[in-house]
Amino acid sequence: EKMRQHTLLLGRLASEFGLAAYPEDSGDHQYRLWFVFSEFTHFLKIKRFLQVFLEKAPEAGGNLLVEPILATKPIGLGWVEHPVVLPLGIQRSTLRRSFFLDDEGKPHTEQLKFMRKIREISLKTAGKAIRGLTTSTTEYGPAPGALPATVRQLCRRCAVLRELSQKAMKGKILRREEKVILFYTVGLVDREGEALHQLLASGPDY
């Protein structure tokens, strides 16, 4: 139970700063938090990102071990490939299937349908979010450091857009007209296409 709660805590920490992260019960008495990147990235860069994230995260406490799970393991001066069981796989040691968890730590009822909602992130976006973890004050909303500067500037100058952005990030359903406003404001200045996903991902109709 402590492992599950700490994994959910790490997932909430990531989401507060615009990082899409997905907790999972791996089926072998372990819990994992998945970050899905949009491009192939060298494993050392991924390792560095995970190390910085864990440095900013609360300590697990007790006898819990929290560490990155990578597809390589160091051997001497080099490394060897190490297989990682993917989500929804069956653990050979326990014959239990792994499942993605919801915000309450319960398995999603529709695992395959949930996977369609998984949002990929770029390493560049992840790096900006990690830098935001060092910020103690907020400009607006729950994740100011993760949104592009142009989007933050729009929200500061436009009360309507600021209200819609906060509403979206709180997970509330937006009317069609409200989504159109975001598409033709945030969508036009967000050249990387990340900000719209960050704003709308919390909604039940994403």
Side-chain angles (χ1 to χ4, degrees):
E1 177 63 23
K2 289 183 179 179
M3 287 191 295
R4 182 171 67 92
Q5 290 300 326
H6 190 72
T7 304
L8 296 177
L9 175 63
L10 294 178
R12 289 193 295 269
L13 176 66
S15 64
E16 286 178 1
F17 292 90
L19 283 173
Y22 306 97
E24 174 213 30
D25 180 349
S26 63
D28 61 348
H29 312 296
Q30 299 183 49
Y31 289 86
R32 302 186 292 189
L33 186 68
W34 287 89
F35 296 94
V36 182
F37 292 92
S38 57
E39 66 276 337
F40 287 104
T41 306
H42 196 281
F43 77 93
L44 289 179
K45 293 183 178 180
I46 299 296
K47 182 178 180 180
R48 176 57 182 161
F49 159 73
L50 294 176
Q51 288 175 336
V52 173
F53 176 77
L54 291 177
E55 288 174 1
K56 306 300 181 182
E59 294 185 4
N63 57 353
L64 300 182
L65 175 63
V66 181
E67 62 180 356
I69 300 177
L70 300 173
T72 60
K73 280 191 172 182
I75 299 293
L77 298 178
W79 53 79
V80 295
E81 293 184 354
H82 175 68
V84 176
V85 178
L86 295 177
L88 304 189
I90 296 178
Q91 294 288 350
R92 302 178 69 177
S93 59
T94 62
L95 298 182
R96 292 179 56 217
R97 186 180 297 279
S98 63
F99 291 108
F100 285 110
L101 305 177
D102 61 17
D103 294 338
E104 297 180 354
K106 300 177 181 179
H108 286 281
T109 54
E110 297 287 346
Q111 292 284 316
L112 294 179
K113 182 181 294 186
F114 170 76
M115 291 186 70
R116 298 176 185 173
K117 295 185 177 182
I118 288 180
R119 178 163 57 88
E120 298 177 343
I121 58 176
S122 70
L123 189 62
K124 181 179 180 181
T125 300
K128 290 180 179 179
I130 287 295
R131 288 194 293 272
L133 288 172
T134 61
T135 303
S136 58
T137 58
T138 58
E139 286 183 19
Y140 84 97
L147 294 173
T150 52
V151 177
R152 298 200 304 271
Q153 186 176 14
L154 278 177
C155 291
R156 285 196 301 268
R157 296 185 176 184
C158 177
V160 173
L161 186 57
R162 181 168 61 251
E163 179 67 24
L164 288 180
S165 298
Q166 292 177 343
K167 181 179 179 180
M169 298 180 83
K170 290 179 181 178
K172 297 182 179 180
I173 296 179
L174 300 182
R175 300 194 306 272
R176 178 182 179 278
E177 294 80 5
E178 293 174 325
K179 291 181 179 179
V180 170
I181 292 175
L182 291 179
F183 290 155
Y184 282 99
T185 52
V186 176
L188 291 178
V189 300
D190 177 29
R191 297 184 180 276
E192 295 183 2
E194 290 286 342
L196 268 179
H197 288 289
Q198 292 175 15
L199 290 173
L200 299 176
S202 300
D205 56 347
Y206 174 67

PDB file of all heavy atoms in Angstrom, residues 61-75:
ATOM      1  N   GLY A  61      10.745   7.134   2.013  1.00  0.00           N
ATOM      2  CA  GLY A  61      10.739   6.800   3.433  1.00  0.00           C
ATOM      3  C   GLY A  61      10.622   5.307   3.662  1.00  0.00           C
ATOM      4  O   GLY A  61      10.338   4.514   2.746  1.00  0.00           O
ATOM      5  N   GLY A  62      10.843   4.901   4.895  1.00  0.00           N
ATOM      6  CA  GLY A  62      10.743   3.477   5.226  1.00  0.00           C
ATOM      7  C   GLY A  62      11.779   2.657   4.484  1.00  0.00           C
ATOM      8  O   GLY A  62      12.908   3.073   4.259  1.00  0.00           O
ATOM      9  N   ASN A  63      11.379   1.470   4.079  1.00  0.00           N
ATOM     10  CA  ASN A  63      12.283   0.576   3.359  1.00  0.00           C
ATOM     11  C   ASN A  63      11.938   0.476   1.886  1.00  0.00           C
ATOM     12  O   ASN A  63      12.233  -0.526   1.235  1.00  0.00           O
ATOM     13  CB  ASN A  63      12.269  -0.825   3.996  1.00  0.00           C
ATOM     14  CG  ASN A  63      10.855  -1.413   4.023  1.00  0.00           C
ATOM     15  OD1 ASN A  63       9.891  -0.731   3.690  1.00  0.00           O
ATOM     16  ND2 ASN A  63      10.756  -2.675   4.403  1.00  0.00           N
ATOM     17  N   LEU A  64      11.297   1.506   1.344  1.00  0.00           N
ATOM     18  CA  LEU A  64      10.934   1.503  -0.070  1.00  0.00           C
ATOM     19  C   LEU A  64      12.120   1.935  -0.922  1.00  0.00           C
ATOM     20  O   LEU A  64      12.883   2.820  -0.560  1.00  0.00           O
ATOM     21  CB  LEU A  64       9.747   2.431  -0.327  1.00  0.00           C
ATOM     22  CG  LEU A  64       8.446   2.121   0.409  1.00  0.00           C
ATOM     23  CD1 LEU A  64       7.363   3.114   0.003  1.00  0.00           C
ATOM     24  CD2 LEU A  64       7.998   0.698   0.130  1.00  0.00           C
ATOM     25  N   LEU A  65      12.257   1.314  -2.075  1.00  0.00           N
ATOM     26  CA  LEU A  65      13.311   1.648  -3.030  1.00  0.00           C
ATOM     27  C   LEU A  65      12.685   2.269  -4.265  1.00  0.00           C
ATOM     28  O   LEU A  65      11.822   1.667  -4.903  1.00  0.00           O
ATOM     29  CB  LEU A  65      14.101   0.400  -3.420  1.00  0.00           C
ATOM     30  CG  LEU A  65      15.172   0.589  -4.508  1.00  0.00           C
ATOM     31  CD1 LEU A  65      16.251   1.549  -4.026  1.00  0.00           C
ATOM     32  CD2 LEU A  65      15.761  -0.749  -4.915  1.00  0.00           C
ATOM     33  N   VAL A  66      13.112   3.482  -4.586  1.00  0.00           N
ATOM     34  CA  VAL A  66      12.633   4.180  -5.782  1.00  0.00           C
ATOM     35  C   VAL A  66      13.818   4.415  -6.687  1.00  0.00           C
ATOM     36  O   VAL A  66      14.787   5.076  -6.303  1.00  0.00           O
ATOM     37  CB  VAL A  66      11.964   5.522  -5.420  1.00  0.00           C
ATOM     38  CG1 VAL A  66      11.461   6.220  -6.675  1.00  0.00           C
ATOM     39  CG2 VAL A  66      10.830   5.301  -4.435  1.00  0.00           C
ATOM     40  N   GLU A  67      13.767   3.888  -7.902  1.00  0.00           N
ATOM     41  CA  GLU A  67      14.891   4.020  -8.830  1.00  0.00           C
ATOM     42  C   GLU A  67      14.391   3.955 -10.265  1.00  0.00           C
ATOM     43  O   GLU A  67      13.317   3.403 -10.542  1.00  0.00           O
ATOM     44  CB  GLU A  67      15.901   2.887  -8.594  1.00  0.00           C
ATOM     45  CG  GLU A  67      15.345   1.498  -8.841  1.00  0.00           C
ATOM     46  CD  GLU A  67      16.373   0.407  -8.608  1.00  0.00           C
ATOM     47  OE1 GLU A  67      17.522   0.756  -8.326  1.00  0.00           O
ATOM     48  OE2 GLU A  67      16.026  -0.778  -8.724  1.00  0.00           O
ATOM     49  N   PRO A  68      15.158   4.552 -11.209  1.00  0.00           N
ATOM     50  CA  PRO A  68      14.785   4.461 -12.628  1.00  0.00           C
ATOM     51  C   PRO A  68      14.902   3.026 -13.127  1.00  0.00           C
ATOM     52  O   PRO A  68      15.786   2.277 -12.707  1.00  0.00           O
ATOM     53  CB  PRO A  68      15.801   5.377 -13.318  1.00  0.00           C
ATOM     54  CG  PRO A  68      16.394   6.216 -12.234  1.00  0.00           C
ATOM     55  CD  PRO A  68      16.338   5.390 -10.990  1.00  0.00           C
ATOM     56  N   ILE A  69      13.997   2.645 -14.009  1.00  0.00           N
ATOM     57  CA  ILE A  69      14.075   1.338 -14.674  1.00  0.00           C
ATOM     58  C   ILE A  69      14.422   1.595 -16.132  1.00  0.00           C
ATOM     59  O   ILE A  69      13.612   2.126 -16.886  1.00  0.00           O
ATOM     60  CB  ILE A  69      12.740   0.572 -14.561  1.00  0.00           C
ATOM     61  CG1 ILE A  69      12.381   0.344 -13.095  1.00  0.00           C
ATOM     62  CG2 ILE A  69      12.831  -0.762 -15.289  1.00  0.00           C
ATOM     63  CD1 ILE A  69      11.042  -0.339 -12.894  1.00  0.00           C
ATOM     64  N   LEU A  70      15.631   1.226 -16.516  1.00  0.00           N
ATOM     65  CA  LEU A  70      16.110   1.477 -17.872  1.00  0.00           C
ATOM     66  C   LEU A  70      16.327   0.170 -18.613  1.00  0.00           C
ATOM     67  O   LEU A  70      16.391  -0.903 -18.014  1.00  0.00           O
ATOM     68  CB  LEU A  70      17.420   2.275 -17.826  1.00  0.00           C
ATOM     69  CG  LEU A  70      17.338   3.649 -17.136  1.00  0.00           C
ATOM     70  CD1 LEU A  70      18.719   4.254 -17.017  1.00  0.00           C
ATOM     71  CD2 LEU A  70      16.414   4.578 -17.906  1.00  0.00           C
ATOM     72  N   ALA A  71      16.424   0.272 -19.923  1.00  0.00           N
ATOM     73  CA  ALA A  71      16.611  -0.915 -20.764  1.00  0.00           C
ATOM     74  C   ALA A  71      18.072  -1.333 -20.851  1.00  0.00           C
ATOM     75  O   ALA A  71      18.432  -2.167 -21.680  1.00  0.00           O
ATOM     76  CB  ALA A  71      16.069  -0.655 -22.163  1.00  0.00           C
ATOM     77  N   THR A  72      18.915  -0.740 -20.022  1.00  0.00           N
ATOM     78  CA  THR A  72      20.326  -1.116 -19.971  1.00  0.00           C
ATOM     79  C   THR A  72      20.771  -1.188 -18.522  1.00  0.00           C
ATOM     80  O   THR A  72      20.198  -0.535 -17.649  1.00  0.00           O
ATOM     81  CB  THR A  72      21.218  -0.100 -20.711  1.00  0.00           C
ATOM     82  OG1 THR A  72      21.053   1.185 -20.097  1.00  0.00           O
ATOM     83  CG2 THR A  72      20.856  -0.022 -22.189  1.00  0.00           C
ATOM     84  N   LYS A  73      21.793  -1.980 -18.265  1.00  0.00           N
ATOM     85  CA  LYS A  73      22.387  -2.066 -16.941  1.00  0.00           C
ATOM     86  C   LYS A  73      23.898  -1.889 -17.067  1.00  0.00           C
ATOM     87  O   LYS A  73      24.517  -2.455 -17.973  1.00  0.00           O
ATOM     88  CB  LYS A  73      22.074  -3.417 -16.293  1.00  0.00           C
ATOM     89  CG  LYS A  73      20.683  -3.501 -15.681  1.00  0.00           C
ATOM     90  CD  LYS A  73      20.537  -4.747 -14.820  1.00  0.00           C
ATOM     91  CE  LYS A  73      19.231  -4.737 -14.046  1.00  0.00           C
ATOM     92  NZ  LYS A  73      19.102  -5.930 -13.160  1.00  0.00           N
ATOM     93  N   PRO A  74      24.506  -1.091 -16.168  1.00  0.00           N
ATOM     94  CA  PRO A  74      25.960  -0.874 -16.249  1.00  0.00           C
ATOM     95  C   PRO A  74      26.732  -2.142 -15.914  1.00  0.00           C
ATOM     96  O   PRO A  74      26.434  -2.832 -14.945  1.00  0.00           O
ATOM     97  CB  PRO A  74      26.208   0.229 -15.217  1.00  0.00           C
ATOM     98  CG  PRO A  74      25.074   0.105 -14.255  1.00  0.00           C
ATOM     99  CD  PRO A  74      23.889  -0.347 -15.055  1.00  0.00           C
ATOM    100  N   ILE A  75      27.712  -2.437 -16.746  1.00  0.00           N
ATOM    101  CA  ILE A  75      28.614  -3.563 -16.518  1.00  0.00           C
ATOM    102  C   ILE A  75      30.032  -3.053 -16.748  1.00  0.00           C
ATOM    103  O   ILE A  75      30.426  -2.773 -17.884  1.00  0.00           O
ATOM    104  CB  ILE A  75      28.326  -4.757 -17.458  1.00  0.00           C
ATOM    105  CG1 ILE A  75      26.912  -5.268 -17.233  1.00  0.00           C
ATOM    106  CG2 ILE A  75      29.349  -5.855 -17.234  1.00  0.00           C
ATOM    107  CD1 ILE A  75      26.687  -5.912 -15.869  1.00  0.00           C
TER     108      ILE A  75
END
